[in-house]
Amino acid sequence: IVALAGPMWGFHWEEVKREGIDLVVAIDTSRSMLSTDVKPNRLARAKLAVQDLLARLKGDRIGLVAFAGTAFAQCPLTLDRAAFSQSLDAIEAGIIPRGGTSLPAAIETSLDTFEGRQGKNQALVLITDGESNEGDVKAATQKAIDRGVKIYTVGIGTTEGELIPGEDGGYLKDRSGQVVKSRLDEETLKQVAVDSGGVYLHAAGPSMGLTELYDDYIAKMENKELASTLEKRYEQRFQIPLLLAILCLLAEWLIGERRAPGRAG
């Protein structure tokens, strides 16, 4: 029983190396992401799927970029899952004042978030409906290609589209007073993925396919050493009580039973 309890005393220091890849997730926060053709809406579903992806990661570092008409790094590359989760929770539509959807800004800000030029250990997951794109997408994609960074694009929404909720109720309208319907633009996202050597994924199911994307492609990328720390390792001492127990069993077998002398009748 004492041996099974796992007694430990004494310790030594051991160097522990963490290996993995650098992964940046860029999420579209434009108002079109509030459309409800994906329940409860595109943005909320994207955030839930990224949480599922976070639980799947091994020794990888992960960073977060929010974008609309411009982009900024919401969370730098980190091994701290709790810090990333807090940054993800803070993302909401309108967090970036400038409207629209700038894929070039998302790609370039994500590239800046990576450290160094080791593209073979770096991946970008871009989640967006791809609509109302601004800027030169090809030029931004070429920068990723030059760095060796693969872009995995995730299209969320439907090609049929859905109305965009307005800030004060009702639905968003254009300057002519017509309601605006947001549709998924798959062609641009497919082109970005193909050009950079990544994969395009049409979001489907609770996890939007992100966990499968990680298992099938990202997790198979070449790892690099991300951190090296010294950790205290306590010495296992279960061998001592286990040895004493074995000796006691042997002693019992060697001693045997002693019969009491019979009593005369």
Side-chain angles (χ1 to χ4, degrees):
I1 292 173
V2 174
L4 289 173
M8 295 184 294
W9 64 84
F11 65 88
H12 66 277
W13 293 99
E14 182 177 311
E15 184 180 12
V16 177
K17 296 181 179 180
R18 297 180 182 272
E19 293 187 342
I21 60 104
D22 286 337
L23 173 64
V24 171
V25 178
I27 300 180
D28 188 349
T29 62
S30 60
R31 290 204 62 82
S32 62
M33 290 290 285
L34 294 178
S35 298
T36 57
D37 48 359
V38 177
K39 304 299 180 182
N41 61 52
R42 296 174 184 175
L43 182 58
R45 174 52 61 191
K47 291 169 64 174
L48 290 172
V50 173
Q51 284 285 11
D52 291 340
L53 172 64
L54 184 64
R56 203 79 166 191
L57 301 185
K58 299 173 183 175
D60 310 312
R61 291 193 302 178
I62 186 169
L64 182 64
V65 168
F67 71 95
T70 58
F72 71 90
Q74 179 81 354
C75 178
L77 286 169
T78 180
L79 288 166
D80 189 337
R81 305 291 188 253
F84 178 88
S85 185
Q86 289 178 356
S87 298
L88 179 64
D89 289 341
I91 281 186
E92 58 184 19
I95 193 173
I96 297 178
R98 182 178 175 182
T101 302
S102 177
L103 295 183
I107 294 171
E108 291 173 4
T109 301
S110 298
L111 292 177
D112 291 339
T113 303
F114 290 118
E115 298 171 358
R117 300 182 59 85
Q118 299 178 6
K120 62 182 179 181
N121 313 113
Q122 300 167 341
L124 167 60
V125 174
L126 190 64
I127 305 175
T128 177
D129 53 27
E131 193 180 38
S132 301
N133 183 54
E134 303 174 1
D136 191 341
V137 181
K138 288 187 176 181
T141 304
Q142 187 59 50
K143 291 181 180 180
I145 296 171
D146 294 341
R147 286 272 299 271
V149 177
K150 294 182 179 180
I151 304 175
Y152 299 90
T153 56
V154 181
I156 186 167
T158 61
T159 53
E160 294 79 14
E162 182 58 88
L163 301 178
I164 304 174
E167 295 183 16
D168 302 319
Y171 295 100
L172 190 67
K173 296 181 180 180
D174 58 21
R175 293 179 180 179
S176 63
Q178 300 296 317
V179 291
V180 178
K181 180 175 281 192
S182 172
R183 295 178 175 85
L184 171 63
D185 177 10
E186 290 189 297
E187 294 307 313
T188 301
L189 299 180
K190 287 178 180 178
Q191 194 63 51
V192 170
V194 170
D195 290 347
S196 66
V199 173
Y200 169 73
L201 178 68
H202 184 195
S207 70
M208 292 180 13
L210 290 186
T211 54
E212 292 80 4
L213 178 67
Y214 177 81
D215 292 340
D216 295 341
Y217 297 97
I218 299 174
K220 295 179 180 179
M221 295 176 63
E222 181 179 340
N223 291 342
K224 69 174 181 178
E225 184 178 324
L226 298 176
S228 179
T229 58
L230 288 176
E231 295 188 4
K232 184 183 289 187
R233 301 294 192 191
Y234 287 94
E235 303 287 354
Q236 293 281 351
R237 304 295 185 181
F238 68 90
Q239 303 93 335
I240 297 174
L242 181 61
L243 177 61
L244 292 174
I246 293 173
L247 291 175
C248 288
L249 290 173
L250 289 174
E252 181 184 23
W253 179 73
L254 292 173
I255 293 172
E257 288 189 13
R258 196 173 189 182
R259 293 185 179 182
R263 184 180 294 176

